[in-house]
Amino acid sequence: MPDTFKFDLVSPQRLVMSADVEQVVVPGSEGDFTMLAHHAPVLTGLRPGVLEIASDGGKQSRYFIRGGFAEVGPTGLTVLAETAIDLFELQADTLLGAIKDAEEDVADAKEDAVRDRAKTKLDHLRQVQATLNL
């Protein structure tokens, strides 16, 4: 049985997950990396992508994350993400509705800054859609 380590996934709204896990694949800003027990310390930014978690007993979890950073330290891994969406719970119609709303927000934006934020959100939603092949 592989060694486990402490893993915390935190979004601005809540603590999404806190568990002892065997492995986490993190979409770092410089590329994906796999975190195992006893990993060297790392601090990295995150790019939009899928965070894959393997828990004790073979349980798999997948979250789409956007923005934030990951810190590997002596006590384990902490991921602070701007957005963390559980891909198991995500419904296709919910995602398609959010994409439609984001497209409308882009079209309706009167200010460049508002339009840029809406485009970024739309891009991230489309990345989730592509990840899920919807």
Side-chain angles (χ1 to χ4, degrees), residues 11-25:
S11 75
Q13 294 81 21
R14 64 188 174 97
L15 175 64
V16 177
M17 179 181 198
S18 183
D20 289 328
V21 299
E22 294 177 354
Q23 172 181 310
V24 179
V25 178

Side-chain angles (χ1 to χ4, degrees), residues 5-8 35-42 71-78:
F5 59 92
K6 180 73 171 165
F7 169 67
D8 291 317
M35 166 72 183
L36 299 169
H38 315 294
H39 195 288
V42 173
E71 179 181 14
V72 178
T75 60
L77 170 65
T78 301

Side-chain angles (χ1 to χ4, degrees), residues 64 66 83 85 90-108 117-129 132 134:
F64 176 79
R66 170 170 68 96
T83 301
I85 301 169
L90 184 65
Q91 301 295 320
D93 56 342
T94 303
L95 178 60
L96 296 175
I99 289 172
K100 182 178 178 189
D101 290 344
E103 289 171 339
E104 291 171 0
D105 291 345
V106 170
D108 295 343
R117 282 193 302 274
K119 283 182 182 179
T120 299
K121 181 178 180 180
L122 178 59
D123 289 344
H124 292 157
L125 290 169
R126 287 182 174 155
Q127 289 172 353
V128 173
Q129 184 182 35
L132 297 176
L134 296 177

Side-chain angles (χ1 to χ4, degrees), residues 43-106:
L43 180 61
T44 185
L46 300 172
R47 64 176 170 69
V50 177
L51 185 75
E52 299 179 30
I53 304 140
S55 300
D56 194 20
K59 182 178 180 224
Q60 300 284 323
S61 302
R62 297 175 71 218
Y63 289 84
F64 176 79
I65 59 169
R66 170 170 68 96
F69 68 92
E71 179 181 14
V72 178
T75 60
L77 170 65
T78 301
V79 172
L80 301 172
E82 290 176 19
T83 301
I85 301 169
D86 186 342
L87 295 181
F88 179 74
E89 295 177 0
L90 184 65
Q91 301 295 320
D93 56 342
T94 303
L95 178 60
L96 296 175
I99 289 172
K100 182 178 178 189
D101 290 344
E103 289 171 339
E104 291 171 0
D105 291 345
V106 170

